[in-house]
Structures are given as structure tokens and as C-alpha cells.
Amino acid sequence: QSALTQPASVSGSPGQSITISCTGTSSDVGGYNYVSWYQQHPGKAPKLMIYEVSNRPSGVPDRFSGSKSGNTASLTISGLQAEDEADYYCSSYTSSSTLYVFGTGTKVTVL
Amino acid sequence: QITLKESGPTLVKPTQTLTLTCTFSGFSLSTSGVGVGWIRQPPGKALEWLALIYWDDDKRYSPSLKSRLTITKDTSKNQVVLTMTNMDPVDTATYYCAHSTPVTPCFDYWGQGTLVTVSS
């Protein structure tokens, strides 16, 4: 089971919107609506930001949104803020014996 | 309030067995649907899922590491233990335990992580 593919880096200015893609296969991203996104600041544990493709846990700002089309999921951050600078990982439930697969990670830089 | 905390050695020698303990509070591992998983992250690299144990003692492992991993739970102590045999320098990583929700497959609460270095 290969890791999901994410761009290594994405950047934007404060107030702008950015989108991070997460590409998998029909056995994971494309086969289930069980894509989640995690935010990780340096030296910190990951934090769940999106689950089931587009649902936000309580306390996560609504400028974070998720979507999916085919085998690719996306995380959009609208109204980018300085505190959004972090690494972001997607994850998907998978039908293979792997059960869970994470993405390669994307570093978001706020210019 | 759900909290998890990993504990174990910070340094292990190659070929040794690593034993990590996840001690949690705020939930019970006897509640239907609940699970506790282990995820690791080598320095500067991506997250990698390792293993998961469910409330009913169902256990799942990463296929690439299955032969080296064992996950167990002690419900009375609110602990989950992960053992990894035949440690190698490439296993140097921060190891996290995390709560798996009974509602949907994802990890909604994470421990702070523990850095394990494999070196002679």
C-alpha cells in the first residue's frame, strides 16, 4: 500500500485561499468517504481538522473545508492566517489489509 | 476529556525489542467501536500507521511491519502496549498513540508522542 500523494509545499499570502490535493486510488480515497486531514505544527502532535471528507470537528474554524472527486481529495484553507503555517497530512481508510494510509505531507507556508 | 500519553525507552540498540505503553483517560477501551492506534513519524518525514486495537480485541497491523509488531490492551489499566522486535536505525521516529473514534475511522485525539532513537 503506497502513501497517498500530496504536493510537498503550498504557499499563500494572508487572506488568500489555498488548496492541498491528496491523490490515492479506488481502494482508498476513491472507494470510501473516509478521508481525514491532520494539521501538525513543528514539534507537536497531529490535530484532526477534517473527517469523512468534509466534516469539521468541533472547534476547527470553518475556513477549513474538504472535498473529494474520484481518487483525489482536497483541503482548502480560506482566509489564510499566520497560524495556519504547518504541515498537513491526509489519510484514508483502505480496503487493503493496511487499513489506514497517510499522505506524503504538505508544508503550508504563509508568505 | 480524552488524553493519551506514550511512555517507553528513548534509546534502544539495534536488534533489541521496543516496548511502548500508551496510557489514556477519558474513554474506555471496552466501549463498542473504540480503538487505539499507533502511528510513527521519522524525523522530517511523513506519518506512518503501524497498528490498531479495537474494543473487542480485534487487532490490525501494517502489512509491511506485521511480522515485527504486537499490540495488546489492558482495559483495567487503560493502557495499550505496542512491541516492535528487531529494531533498526531506520525505526528511529516519534511514536504516537491515538484514539480511534467509534463513529468514523480516523484519529481524533493524539498523545504528545515519544521519540525513540535506535543506535548502538
Side-chain angles (χ1 to χ4, degrees):
Chain A
Q1 179 73 45
S2 299
L4 306 176
T5 301
Q6 299 179 232
S9 63
V10 173
S11 61
S13 299
Q16 287 187 330
S17 292
I18 62 169
T19 297
I20 303 167
S21 61
C22 169
T23 301
T25 69
S26 57
S27 295
D28 39 64
V29 174
Y32 304 91
N33 287 326
Y34 291 139
V35 176
S36 50
W37 289 90
Y38 300 88
Q39 177 192 64
Q40 186 181 35
H41 287 108
K44 301 295 186 181
K47 174 187 176 183
L48 179 66
M49 303 300 283
I50 295 286
Y51 66 95
E52 289 180 350
V53 176
S54 60
N55 293 319
R56 280 177 289 105
S58 175
V60 172
D62 61 5
R63 52 201 181 76
F64 289 87
S65 62
S67 62
K68 190 186 83 167
S69 178
N71 296 337
T72 298
S74 299
L75 174 71
T76 298
I77 309 175
S78 305
L80 197 62
Q81 298 185 5
E83 60 260 36
D84 300 332
E85 186 162 291
D87 293 327
Y88 291 82
Y89 293 91
C90 62
S91 179
S92 177
Y93 181 82
T94 169
S95 60
S96 77
S97 55
T98 300
L99 192 63
Y100 282 101
V101 60
F102 282 96
T104 51
T106 298
K107 181 175 181 59
V108 168
T109 301
V110 181
L111 301 172
Chain B
Q1 178 190 3
I2 290 177
T3 64
L4 305 97
K5 187 172 184 179
E6 308 85 354
S7 59
T10 58
L11 178 67
V12 297
K13 290 181 168 51
T15 76
Q16 286 187 335
T17 294
L18 170 69
T19 299
L20 294 173
T21 300
C22 176
T23 303
F24 57 85
S25 63
F27 68 95
S28 172
L29 203 37
S30 59
T31 299
S32 178
V34 172
V36 172
W38 286 92
I39 302 98
R40 72 177 179 179
Q41 184 174 39
K45 296 188 177 181
L47 300 168
E48 178 186 19
W49 173 73
L50 300 177
L52 181 65
I53 188 166
Y54 289 101
W55 88 104
D56 59 356
D57 211 37
D58 183 17
K59 302 168 186 177
R60 306 296 180 94
Y61 297 100
S62 167
S64 62
L65 294 167
K66 185 174 183 178
S67 63
R68 300 173 53 205
L69 295 174
T70 302
I71 190 169
T72 60
K73 63 181 176 70
D74 186 330
T75 305
S76 64
K77 292 183 178 180
N78 282 352
Q79 291 182 332
V80 170
V81 175
L82 180 76
T83 61
M84 180 180 292
T85 61
N86 195 24
M87 293 292 285
D88 183 272
V90 299
D91 296 314
T92 294
T94 295
Y95 288 76
Y96 297 98
C97 63
H99 172 266
S100 174
T101 88
V103 176
T104 186
C106 68
F107 298 106
D108 55 352
Y109 293 91
W110 294 62
Q112 64 189 25
T114 185
L115 175 62
V116 178
T117 301
V118 184
S119 175
S120 55

